[in-house]
Amino acid sequence: MKTRVFALIGDPVEQSLSPAMQNAAFGALGLNCVYIALRVPSAGLTDAVAGVRALGISGLNVTTPNKIKIIDLLDELDESANSVGAVNTVKNDRGKLVGFNTDGDGCIRALRGRVGSLRGKDVVLLGAGGAARAIAFSAVKAGAGLTIANRTASRARAVAEAIEQRLGSTVKLIGLNRAELARALRKADILINTTTVGMRPRIDETIVTSSMMHRKLLVNDIVYDPLQTRLLREAKRAGAEVLDGLGMLVQQGALSFEIWTGKRAPIRVMAAAAKRELKGRCP
Ligand code: ATR
């Protein structure tokens, strides 16, 4: 039987948890599939995608710096990738390369595991980069009320305008100053950090502190290096519920797996593999 090959393309890819996670999932379902990480800098992307076609590679995950540039090299975009304007998953559908974006829905699936439906929930999103844009679209589609807080106002405005144009929903915009954030958080149900603040090596930094949180708030940091960020420590101090970055990481990978195989992803197996891999790195 032919082995189906899947790959992550980006630069860097050495630190990715996806090979461990996807290969564990393939193994658990007894699928004859392998997943490898391939370093593809921006300059090599066109050749790499031609290679995917020539070699009959069955699917891709796409990461920095290729998520936007790859769009022009694909045959079709799913709605998820089209609205966000970035691709993190490609399916080779008998020679037709179709782009998807599972980042936003991955985050929402992880949140749903904790709070159920997001309809009517008040979400404050820190950041307005690529991950934030994907999550913002999925959150609004899921029926949440969204406030975006970003350092650079123009980037937040661009995300809000895209959402208004495509989904017809209004997004609130605020700055990162403590007073404005504290006010927005007082009535919020969910806080999501998509900024790089708190990521190794700047592990002692946080935008929001415990005094700005309340006990009914769910605080989700999509940073997973480290898993216990300063933001999540602040949330615990405030008695709030926490969801670490493994949640979204596993769910976005699970959605990719389901797009490629048409089978339900073994979430627990994938989470355990990612955790094992992370532990092996930072004892
Ligand atoms: P990604 O695509 O992974 O989401 P990105 O596009 O580089 O990453 O976005 C990083 C986010 O972190 C941005 O929202 C950035 O804010 P700006 O738009 O103002 O650049 C935010 N960010 C990074 N460092 C920050 C800092 N020290 N304080 C506040 N926000 C920061």
Side-chain angles (χ1 to χ4, degrees):
M1 201 169 94
K2 187 179 175 286
T3 302
R4 297 175 73 203
V5 179
F6 297 85
L8 168 68
I9 58 168
D11 185 21
V13 291
E14 291 73 20
Q15 293 304 308
S16 172
L17 301 175
S18 294
M21 221 163 50
Q22 298 293 354
N23 285 319
F26 292 145
L29 270 70
L31 302 175
N32 186 7
C33 301
V34 293
Y35 185 107
I36 51 175
L38 301 171
R39 193 175 78 84
V40 178
S42 185
L45 184 62
T46 303
D47 288 347
V49 173
V52 167
R53 295 181 192 276
L55 297 167
I57 288 176
S58 297
L60 298 173
N61 276 140
V62 185
T63 189
T64 315
N66 300 327
K67 286 176 134 176
I68 296 170
K69 196 180 164 196
I70 198 168
I71 288 175
D72 292 337
L73 304 170
L74 302 177
D75 301 308
E76 210 173 288
L77 287 189
D78 168 78
E79 212 275 313
S80 60
N82 200 26
S83 55
V84 175
V87 164
N88 82 328
T89 302
V90 175
K91 180 181 184 176
N92 187 345
D93 190 2
R94 286 161 298 169
K96 188 175 72 180
L97 299 187
V98 186
F100 299 80
N101 193 315
T102 68
D103 284 333
D105 285 356
C107 181
I108 299 306
R109 277 233 291 218
L111 291 170
R112 273 208 192 104
R114 294 296 182 83
V115 299
S117 168
L118 261 73
R119 189 153 300 281
K121 293 276 191 304
D122 198 324
V123 175
V124 174
L125 188 67
L126 303 176
R133 184 180 273 256
I135 293 168
F137 265 95
S138 292
V140 170
K141 278 186 195 161
L146 185 66
T147 301
I148 299 179
N150 197 49
R151 181 178 58 182
T152 309
S154 58
R155 280 185 101 189
R157 221 163 27 238
V159 176
E161 278 167 11
I163 287 177
E164 188 146 4
Q165 202 176 9
R166 290 202 169 258
L167 305 180
S169 300
T170 309
V171 173
K172 272 185 230 145
L173 301 178
I174 59 172
L176 280 191
N177 68 76
R178 287 179 69 83
E180 245 182 320
L181 268 173
R183 197 174 322 121
L185 286 170
R186 226 168 279 147
K187 56 180 183 48
D189 301 297
I190 300 170
L191 168 67
I192 310 170
N193 174 52
T194 71
T195 74
T196 49
V197 176
M199 202 181 271
R200 210 176 297 276
R202 293 155 60 196
I203 58 169
D204 287 328
E205 295 179 10
T206 186
I207 294 170
V208 176
T209 53
S210 60
S211 64
M212 301 153 81
M213 302 174 183
H214 59 81
R215 297 177 66 86
K216 285 193 176 150
L217 188 67
L218 169 61
V219 180
N220 174 210
D221 202 333
I222 73 162
V223 169
Y224 58 84
D225 184 23
L227 268 184
Q228 288 307 308
T229 57
R230 165 93 188 271
L231 176 71
L232 296 189
R233 292 202 302 276
E234 295 284 339
K236 281 179 187 158
R237 192 168 306 146
E241 196 183 339
V242 300
L243 173 62
D244 68 34
L246 215 51
M248 170 175 162
L249 179 83
V250 170
Q251 293 292 352
Q252 62 79 30
L255 286 168
S256 297
F257 180 94
E258 289 172 5
I259 287 166
W260 296 327
T261 66
K263 295 181 193 305
R264 187 187 283 264
I267 301 287
R268 285 192 188 162
V269 169
M270 295 176 84
K275 233 181 228 169
R276 240 187 343 263
E277 185 75 13
L278 265 181
K279 272 216 182 94
R281 284 179 199 174
C282 357

